[in-house]
């Protein structure tokens, strides 16, 4: 089947949006990173808009899309309903954010609702592509795969946004260097205290006030990095399970043999092996793009980020690799999307 790039982008950006919104809901539930909430909400909204525009580009007559909304069982109708529900929850979420005392807190019940609605949106979107006539698509592992993409894309993006808002706490490497810096600052303060006692007292009070904020930022950063690490693992497991399911799906394809079709006299016959994720043009895409770049590297980078404490750089690498892997597995998804009766 030919690649449908508008739908590839649609499923990628909607999963990205849902993952980011769910991540900020988890952080709100933990009362962490309040300053990052608004910018995260705006970023998630932009991702959803990009996904919505992409799906319209798939249609030659997009104005006829409303004709399908009358059928509740159609995938596009269910996707629209899920997106609208998420949009409503997001609007309520931003209202509570703006009315909170710190500008970044919401009730815990709303955070739970946001997580559930985000997961439902991803499940509904992925389920709409499950068709019995296309064995490689008709798999629950495809739904889990898209959920896995959201689990890694969301936390990685949120950590980057935390750095933008200055809420990314010092990591292990930075904290190990902190005592020497504190010693230098203390010696400078001691020198200044000989001249005046009141400025030194003011500096000490400011330092005491800054310590809880630094500890809170570090705690929030550690929790976000754990979300990213576990999300990378979930993404790897679900992606590999779906690749394996695609490989087994080729056994369901029926080879029609050799015959002449006057409507396609110049088209070569299709072979069952060409639709395997480990055969034909899928081989390089799956091995390099999905398995190595999309699953292994995000785990390695998330572990290195947690170990070294430089979360911004490693989170950016996790995000890029996970995004490449998500697109590659969708390319393999369409390449393996043959009908159960293979003709041309």
């Amino acid at each position: 089947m030919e690649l449908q790039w508008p739908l590839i982008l649609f499923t990628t950006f909607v999963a990205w949006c849902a993952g980011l919104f769910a991540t900020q809901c988890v952080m709100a539930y933990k009362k962490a990173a309040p300053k990052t909430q608004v910018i995260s909400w705006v970023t998630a909204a932009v991702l959803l808009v990009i996904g919505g525009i992409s799906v319209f580009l798939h249609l030659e007559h997009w104005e006829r899309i409303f004709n399908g909304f009358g059928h509740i069982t159609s995938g596009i109708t269910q996707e629209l309903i899920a997106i609208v529900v998420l949009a409503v929850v997001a609007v309520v979420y931003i209202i509570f954010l703006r009315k909170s005392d710190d500008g970044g807190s919401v009730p815990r019940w709303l955070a739970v609702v946001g997580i559930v609605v985000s997961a439902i949106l991803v499940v509904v979107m992925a389920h709409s592509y499950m068709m019995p006539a296309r064995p490689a698509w008709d798999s629950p592992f495809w739904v889990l795969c898209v959920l896995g993409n959201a689990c890694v894309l969301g936390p990685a993006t949120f950590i980057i946004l935390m750095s933008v808002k200055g809420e990314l706490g010092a990591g292990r490497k930075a904290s190990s260097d902190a005592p020497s810096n504190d010693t230098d600052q203390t010696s400078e303060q001691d020198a200044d205290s000989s001249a005046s006692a009141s400025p030194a007292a003011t500096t000490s009070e400011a330092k005491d006030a800054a310590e809880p904020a630094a500890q809170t930022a570090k705690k929030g950063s550690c929790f976000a990095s754990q979300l990213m690490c576990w999300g990378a693992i979930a993404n790897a497991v679900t992606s590999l399970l779906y690749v394996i399911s695609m490989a087994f799906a080729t056994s369901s394809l029926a080879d029609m043999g050799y015959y002449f079709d006057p409507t396609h006299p110049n088209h070569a016959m299709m072979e069952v092996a060409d639709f395997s994720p480990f055969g034909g043009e899928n081989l390089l895409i799956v091995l390099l793009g999905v398995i190595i770049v999309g699953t292994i590297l995000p785990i390695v980078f998330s572990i290195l980020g947690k170990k070294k404490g430089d979360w911004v750089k490693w989170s950016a690498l996790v995000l890029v690799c996970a995004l490449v892997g998500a697109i590659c597995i969708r390319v393999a998804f369409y390449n393996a999307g043959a009908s159960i009766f293979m003709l041309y």
Side-chain angles (χ1 to χ4, degrees), residues 127-213:
H127 180 267
S128 65
Y129 291 85
M130 294 177 60
M131 305 175 186
R134 300 187 181 276
W137 294 10
D138 194 31
S139 171
F141 294 114
W142 162 245
V143 179
L144 294 178
C145 176
V146 182
L147 278 172
N149 296 156
C151 287
V152 65
L153 291 173
T157 306
F158 193 84
I159 291 177
I160 296 173
L161 296 177
M162 287 177 67
S163 67
V164 173
K165 299 301 293 184
E167 286 193 309
L168 201 59
R172 294 183 180 180
K173 184 177 180 181
S175 61
S176 63
D177 297 336
S180 61
N181 295 332
D182 291 340
T183 302
D184 295 338
Q185 293 177 359
T186 302
S187 61
E188 292 177 358
Q189 292 175 3
D190 291 341
D192 295 337
S193 63
S194 59
S196 176
S198 56
T202 304
T203 304
S204 178
E205 293 176 357
K207 182 179 179 181
D208 293 339
E211 284 181 356

Side-chain angles (χ1 to χ4, degrees), residues 18-31 37 40 86 89 93 106-108 110-116 118 158 223 227:
L20 179 57
F21 186 65
T23 301
Q24 75 172 101
C25 289
V26 173
M27 298 297 287
Y29 186 88
K30 298 290 291 185
K31 304 296 182 181
Q37 287 290 324
S40 177
L86 178 67
V89 173
Y93 193 95
V106 297
R108 288 192 167 182
L110 182 57
V112 173
V113 171
I115 297 170
V116 173
S118 299
F158 193 84
F223 182 72
L227 287 178

